[in-house]
Amino acid sequence: MSKPKFHYECVDCGKLNEESQIKYVCPVCSKSNSSDLPPKGVLKTIYNYDDLIDNGIGFAELKQNKFLDLLPIKTLESLPNLSVGNTPLYAIKKFDNNDLGFTLFLKDDSQNPTYSFKDRASAVVSAYAKEKGFKTIVTASTGNAGSSLAGICAAQNQKAIVLVPEAAPMAKLTQILMYGAQIIPVKGTYDDAFDLSIKATEEFGWYNRNTAFNPLTIEGKKIVSFEIFEQLDFTIPDTIFVPVGDGVIISGLYKGFEDLLKLQIIDRIPTIIAVQASNSDNLVRNIKNTHFEIQKSTSIADSISVDIPRNFYMAQKYILKYKGAYMTVTDDEIMEASAALSANTGLFAEPAAAAAFAGFLSYKKLDQIVNNSKNVVLLTGSGLKDLKAVGSLLNMPNAITPTLNDLKKIVS
Ligand SMILES: [Zn+2]
């Protein structure tokens, strides 16, 4: 029998698990998980890197096969027939009409099918489910993950079931309903919905997409690192600013670069800067704590407003191992950054993405960005997903009569 393509390694105990025996978390570490702390036992997907090197797999070969060698699926045909990933990376050299002295690159992941970064994870999860014969995929979500799963499942002829906290805003649910998924509002919080979705997975034999709980969410998200490497002419940037909630996107970024490092395609990991909202800072505030302390999250950037970061331990290990940085920005800074980003670049991003941009602006203001360096901000979703959040920035003028006289009073 040939060697399996990949296996899982528990991020906490390091124990290896065969893919055929397990689909989600480490059975040992997850036993002591409680609903009021970040879960232990999240799995990292490990490929046969030495074999790939021996077989002469470099970046060109990986790219030629659309990174299938580093994906936990058998064939690319299992992926949805939608354009997921391959999003633009825009180089910005001027801001507010001033030369920056370095290059800012904006990775615009609002250009995914459902307008968010989450499609990268949903596509791989959906493809894996297809190969394993699952017809139904369930997820707990407060918005983007659910709408992403719903859209990808619609394209794949799979059934999506999305458990949402009953207080979830209607605007975020519209996409889910339009894609024909089943929404089940749950009394309580996102965490209650999360726990119920796991019980439902066991009871009904569905496949579960929950972020981090399903290790393949990280595998889908890592592809962004391969794209950044290629778009920067096969170099790695100096810094990458990334919005952080559960810690899965930042872990995906690290995992992508770590795969390239293990394949000896790159020789260092870029400095990744985790940006959280100061009203939702449970991940960065606890990075150096021995006991995890939860504070209730209230940030306007709702897709990174998280009480219990589901991928805390993996993100923490990555940030400490590869000397990443971390910071918080206030909701006011997020709103200012959102307006500055839109007006300067033509990219209207959701508040979570604007948080990453606010982190960049804060570094810039403090002259913490090196001259001639390459700096990436990951824009994770479209501003159209949360119009209410920017309502306070808008000053809508009253209508005028359709006469030049009235127009002149305004524009002159
Ligand atoms: Zn373990």
Side-chain angles (χ1 to χ4, degrees):
M1 211 178 117
S2 66
K3 206 168 171 182
K5 183 177 181 183
F6 64 95
H7 61 270
Y8 296 122
E9 181 185 278
C10 172
V11 76
D12 294 298
C13 71
K15 194 172 175 296
L16 304 183
N17 291 277
E18 294 298 325
E19 179 246 346
S20 56
Q21 294 166 348
I22 190 163
K23 299 186 195 79
Y24 304 111
V25 287
C26 169
V28 181
C29 296
S30 63
K31 262 191 198 142
S32 52
N33 283 344
S34 62
S35 56
D36 55 354
L37 284 173
K40 293 231 171 179
V42 173
L43 299 177
K44 196 193 267 194
T45 308
I46 308 288
Y47 300 84
N48 302 312
Y49 301 103
D50 290 343
D51 292 355
L52 291 170
I53 292 172
D54 289 347
N55 291 332
I57 303 290
F59 195 82
E61 290 75 23
L62 288 175
K63 170 75 185 172
Q64 196 178 19
N65 216 1
K66 295 186 176 171
F67 308 112
L68 182 64
D69 290 303
L70 292 175
L71 288 176
I73 55 174
K74 294 191 178 82
T75 162
L76 295 170
E77 279 153 25
S78 307
L79 290 164
N81 184 24
L82 291 172
S83 181
V84 177
N86 289 315
T87 56
L89 184 74
Y90 297 112
I92 310 285
K93 298 203 167 186
K94 276 189 167 189
F95 201 79
D96 286 340
N97 285 325
N98 294 318
D99 284 329
L100 285 170
F102 54 78
T103 310
L104 163 66
F105 293 92
L106 298 171
K107 182 69 172 159
D108 183 13
D109 254 56
S110 71
Q111 298 302 303
N112 276 302
T114 77
Y115 317 106
S116 93
F117 190 93
K118 307 272 163 110
D119 289 341
R120 296 179 180 275
S122 298
V124 170
V125 166
S126 160
Y128 183 86
K130 203 175 185 181
E131 292 184 357
K132 295 286 176 183
F134 289 99
K135 299 267 187 287
T136 301
I137 309 178
V138 63
T139 195
S141 171
T142 59
N144 284 349
S147 54
S148 170
L149 181 67
I152 297 295
C153 282
Q156 292 267 69
N157 197 22
Q158 291 167 319
K159 180 170 184 182
I161 297 180
V162 184
L163 303 183
V164 294
E166 75 177 327
M170 190 59 204
K172 295 191 95 174
L173 308 179
T174 305
Q175 262 184 298
I176 302 175
L177 289 167
M178 289 305 294
Y179 291 132
Q182 185 172 2
I183 286 188
I184 304 178
V186 174
K187 290 185 194 302
T189 64
Y190 168 67
D191 297 304
D192 296 316
F194 197 99
D195 292 342
L196 180 61
S197 78
I198 291 171
K199 286 180 194 154
T201 302
E202 290 163 8
E203 178 73 18
F204 303 113
W206 299 334
Y207 191 52
N208 188 306
R209 184 219 178 273
N210 282 6
T211 195
F213 177 72
N214 186 324
L216 306 189
T217 52
I218 298 159
E219 290 306 289
K221 291 178 178 188
K222 78 178 180 187
I223 299 169
V224 73
S225 304
F226 304 160
E227 292 175 16
I228 291 171
F229 175 69
E230 186 187 13
Q231 287 169 316
L232 293 178
D233 293 328
F234 311 103
T235 63
I236 56 171
D238 296 278
T239 65
I240 304 178
F241 293 82
V242 53
V244 173
D246 270 318
V248 179
I249 292 180
I250 191 169
S251 297
L253 259 179
Y254 271 120
K255 176 61 165 44
F257 287 114
E258 192 177 60
D259 277 357
L260 296 183
L261 190 70
K262 286 181 176 171
L263 290 175
Q264 300 170 5
I265 290 169
I266 60 173
D267 58 8
R268 68 179 176 92
I269 301 277
T271 301
I272 297 179
I273 298 152
V275 186
Q276 284 210 293
S278 51
N279 290 340
S280 171
D281 64 348
N282 283 306
L283 195 144
V284 303
R285 185 168 29 76
N286 282 294
I287 280 188
K288 294 205 165 160
N289 288 357
T290 43
H291 294 289
F292 192 91
E293 287 171 14
I294 297 172
Q295 277 178 19
K296 186 90 192 124
S297 294
T298 57
S299 173
I300 192 165
D302 59 347
S303 56
I304 52 168
S305 191
V306 165
D307 288 350
I308 304 171
R310 296 285 162 176
N311 206 27
F312 174 72
Y313 294 106
M314 186 187 286
Q316 179 194 39
K317 285 186 170 77
Y318 269 135
I319 290 167
L320 295 177
K321 179 174 181 183
Y322 293 118
K323 299 186 170 50
Y326 44 94
M327 64 183 300
T328 58
V329 291
T330 65
D331 279 7
D332 285 347
E333 287 172 320
I334 292 173
M335 284 299 99
E336 282 167 26
S338 179
L341 176 69
S342 303
N344 271 284
T345 68
L347 299 174
F348 178 29
E350 66 174 353
F357 192 68
F360 159 78
L361 289 179
S362 168
Y363 262 57
K364 176 176 166 288
K365 200 168 160 189
L366 297 170
D367 285 329
Q368 286 176 313
I369 297 188
V370 176
N371 272 347
N372 301 316
S373 58
K374 295 176 190 170
N375 308 277
V376 177
V377 175
L378 193 55
L379 301 178
T380 43
S382 167
L384 292 175
K385 277 182 166 267
D386 195 357
L387 288 173
K388 210 173 145 199
V390 291
S392 63
L393 296 174
L394 306 179
N395 187 11
M396 194 62 72
N398 292 323
I400 59 166
T401 59
T403 61
L404 275 177
N405 263 347
D406 263 17
L407 183 61
K408 278 177 187 167
K409 283 180 203 161
I410 294 168
V411 297
S412 58

